[in-house]
Amino acid sequence: MARLPVYLRALNALADAGTATCSSEHLASVAGVNSAKLRKDLSHLGSYGTRGVGYDVEYLRYQIAREIGVTQDWPVVIVGIGNLGQALASFSGFRSRGFRVVALLDADPDRHDQVVAGVEVRPFDDLEGVVRDQGVAIGVIATPAVAAQDVADRMVGCGITSILNFAPAVLAVPEGVDVRKVDLSIELQILAYHQQRKAGVDATTPVPTRKVGSA
Amino acid sequence: MARLPVYLRALNALADAGTATCSSEHLASVAGVNSAKLRKDLSHLGSYGTRGVGYDVEYLRYQIAREIGVTQDWPVVIVGIGNLGQALASFSGFRSRGFRVVALLDADPDRHDQVVAGVEVRPFDDLEGVVRDQGVAIGVIATPAVAAQDVADRMVGCGITSILNFAPAVLAVPEGVDVRKVDLSIELQILAYHQQRKAGVDATTPVPTRKVGSA
DNA sequence: TAGATTGTTAATCGATTAACAATC
DNA sequence: TAGATTGTTAATCGATTAACAATC
C-alpha cells in the first residue's frame, strides 16, 4: 500500500513531538488523509489499535516500518552521478529512512575517483560486482534518458528487481521487476495544467494545420 | 488529467522518430497505457482523431500541449539551492518542456552571487520582487523540511498558486493553491515494500512492547 | 456504566476496460 | 465496398467514505 510510508512519516513526526498515543482522527489529520481510510489501511496490517483509546505511536510506527520493510537497511546503488545523481547521493534522508547508498557508478571515466558524500564514484562496469558483493536489490537511475534502458537492462541482468527511475524515459522491464518513476517535467506540467485553468488563459498561438486525411 | 504529459512525451518520441500518424494502439503502447483508456482520455479534449486512420502526431501533440498549457513558457522560481536545488536548476528538461527558471533563491548569504546554470543565486527576500516582475505562478521548494512551510507561506503570500515541493514535509496551504510533492524516501520505501514481499523476508528483529492499555 | 474510538460493513463514487456502433 | 480505427457506451472493478456495531 503506497500510503504506508506517509503514515510512517506522520508517526515519526508525532513521536518527535513527544506524542505517545493518537487517535485515527489525529494521525489522519497529520498525514493529510481521511480517518476512515486510515483505519481501513491499518486494519489490513492487523489490529494494532485499542478501541476507545487509539494507537500507541511507537508500537504502530514499528509495525508499519516492519510491514514496509525498513526495519533493516536496504543497500542501494545509484547509476549516473551528474547533478541529480550527486544530489541523491548527498541526500541524508535515505540513510535515516532505511536505505544505504553502497555505490555510485558512472560510465564517464572523468567522474571516476571523484568522491560524493563520502562515496567514491566507480565505473559502471563495476555494477555486477557491487550488486553481488553487497546484495543490492534496489537500483536508482539518474542518467540521461538515452542511457536509461541500457542501465535498466544491466541492472535486471544482475538480479536487481526494484528500480527508481529519474530519467525521462519509459523503461521496458521483465515481469516481476518493479519500476517507479520520478519525472520532474511531468510534475511541473501537471501544475501548469491546473494553473492554466485557474488563470483562465486562452492560448492564442497559431494552430498547426491538420495533416491526417489530407495529403 | 495527470496522464496528458505522459501522452505528450510519447508523441514527442514518435515525432522524433519521424512517425506522422499513429493509432491509439500504437500511441498507447509507447505511453505504456491501455488503448481504451487513451482514447477515452483524448475524447475529453475533443475529437482529434480520424476513424479508420488514427491520429496525426504533430496535430495531436499541439492540441495536448495547448490543453496542458505548455505552448508558452512558464516562469518558475526555485527556492533552496543546495544539492537538489542546483540539480533542478541545471536540469535542461525544464526549458524544452515549457518552463523557464527565472530565479534561484536561498536564505543562506554564503550561496548568494554563486551562479548555477547561468542564473545567479539571490537572497530569499527577493521572492516578492521576482514574482511580481516576472509574473511567476509556479514555485519549486528544495529547502530542508523545517524551512518548507515558511517558504510556502511566503510564496502563497505573493500570489504563487502552484507549488512543487521536494522537502519531506506536509505543507498546509489555502484553498486554491495546488501542491505536488516529490518525496524520494517515500518512493524508495514503496519499492522496499514490494521488494520485501518478493524476497519473502520475515523480520526477526525484536518487537517493542505494546504500551497502550498498560502503564 | 458512559464515553470514546476502533475495525468493519455497506453504500457510494470514480476509474478502468471490453465491446461495438459510427465512420473514415 | 471492405478494412481499420475512433469515440462512446455499458459493464466491471477497485477505491473511498459514511455509518455503526464491537469493545476498550
Side-chain angles (χ1 to χ4, degrees):
Chain A
M1 189 73 61
R3 281 185 298 266
L4 291 181
V6 177
Y7 302 155
L8 182 57
R9 172 155 294 160
L11 285 165
N12 284 335
L14 288 177
D16 289 349
T19 311
T21 298
C22 67
S23 67
S24 62
E25 199 72 49
H26 185 190
L27 180 57
S29 86
V30 175
V33 299
N34 178 292
S35 67
K37 176 155 49 175
L38 171 72
R39 287 199 300 277
K40 187 150 237 275
D41 286 343
L42 295 185
S43 75
H44 289 304
L45 312 188
S47 187
Y48 295 141
T50 307
R51 290 170 202 236
V53 180
Y55 299 93
D56 179 288
V57 171
E58 202 52 49
Y59 180 73
L60 184 59
R61 176 157 80 140
Y62 174 79
Q63 291 299 340
I64 291 181
R66 188 171 58 83
E67 182 73 15
I68 296 175
V70 290
T71 44
Q72 287 91 27
D73 270 6
W74 290 89
V76 168
V77 59
I78 302 177
V79 176
I81 315 301
N83 285 303
L84 182 59
Q86 290 178 34
L88 294 173
S90 308
F91 179 49
S92 59
F94 287 154
R95 190 67 205 239
S96 59
R97 287 170 211 293
F99 303 94
R100 188 161 41 90
V101 176
V102 296
L104 306 177
L105 306 180
D106 201 297
D108 181 356
D110 290 349
R111 291 223 176 95
H112 300 157
D113 300 331
Q114 190 181 339
V115 175
V116 178
V119 180
E120 189 190 8
V121 180
R122 298 164 58 180
F124 177 52
D125 285 336
D126 287 7
L127 178 70
E128 285 76 7
V130 166
V131 169
R132 186 184 356 100
D133 297 346
Q134 311 267 355
V136 174
I138 300 178
V140 176
I141 300 179
T143 65
V146 284
Q149 184 63 57
D150 285 342
V151 173
D153 291 343
R154 285 279 291 273
M155 283 181 169
V156 170
C158 62
I160 286 179
T161 50
S162 294
I163 296 175
L164 182 55
N165 178 32
F166 287 90
V170 175
L171 297 183
V173 295
E175 187 100 358
V177 176
D178 280 305
V179 175
R180 289 193 69 85
K181 188 161 161 39
V182 175
D183 194 311
L184 309 177
S185 298
I186 283 183
E187 295 300 324
L188 276 185
Q189 288 185 350
I190 292 170
L191 284 176
Y193 174 84
H194 293 296
Q195 185 64 35
Q196 181 179 230
R197 245 130 286 265
K198 286 183 222 163
V201 174
D202 65 312
T204 45
T205 18
V207 180
T209 49
R210 192 160 185 171
K211 295 202 198 82
V212 157
S214 62
Chain B
M1 189 73 61
R3 281 186 297 265
L4 290 182
V6 177
Y7 301 155
L8 182 57
R9 171 156 293 160
L11 285 165
N12 284 335
L14 288 177
D16 290 349
T19 310
T21 299
C22 67
S23 68
S24 62
E25 200 72 47
H26 186 191
L27 180 56
S29 86
V30 174
V33 301
N34 179 293
S35 68
K37 175 155 52 175
L38 170 71
R39 288 199 301 278
K40 186 149 238 274
D41 286 344
L42 294 186
S43 75
H44 289 304
L45 312 188
S47 187
Y48 296 139
T50 308
R51 290 172 202 236
V53 180
Y55 300 92
D56 179 287
V57 170
E58 202 52 50
Y59 179 73
L60 184 59
R61 177 158 78 139
Y62 175 80
Q63 292 300 339
I64 292 181
R66 189 173 56 83
E67 182 73 16
I68 296 175
V70 290
T71 43
Q72 287 90 27
D73 271 6
W74 290 89
V76 168
V77 59
I78 301 178
V79 176
I81 314 301
N83 285 302
L84 181 60
Q86 290 178 34
L88 294 174
S90 308
F91 179 48
S92 59
F94 287 155
R95 192 65 205 242
S96 60
R97 286 169 209 294
F99 303 95
R100 188 163 39 91
V101 176
V102 296
L104 306 177
L105 306 179
D106 200 297
D108 181 356
D110 290 349
R111 292 223 176 94
H112 300 157
D113 300 330
Q114 190 182 339
V115 175
V116 178
V119 180
E120 188 190 10
V121 179
R122 298 166 58 181
F124 177 54
D125 284 337
D126 287 7
L127 178 70
E128 285 77 6
V130 167
V131 169
R132 187 185 351 99
D133 297 347
Q134 311 267 356
V136 174
I138 299 178
V140 176
I141 300 179
T143 65
V146 285
Q149 184 63 57
D150 284 343
V151 173
D153 291 344
R154 285 279 290 275
M155 283 181 169
V156 170
C158 61
I160 286 179
T161 49
S162 294
I163 295 175
L164 181 55
N165 178 31
F166 287 89
V170 176
L171 297 183
V173 295
E175 187 101 359
V177 176
D178 279 306
V179 176
R180 288 193 69 85
K181 188 158 160 45
V182 175
D183 195 311
L184 310 177
S185 299
I186 284 183
E187 295 300 325
L188 276 184
Q189 288 185 350
I190 293 169
L191 283 176
Y193 173 84
H194 293 297
Q195 184 63 37
Q196 181 178 230
R197 243 131 288 264
K198 287 181 222 165
V201 173
D202 65 313
T204 45
T205 18
V207 180
T209 48
R210 191 161 186 169
K211 297 205 194 79
V212 156
S214 61

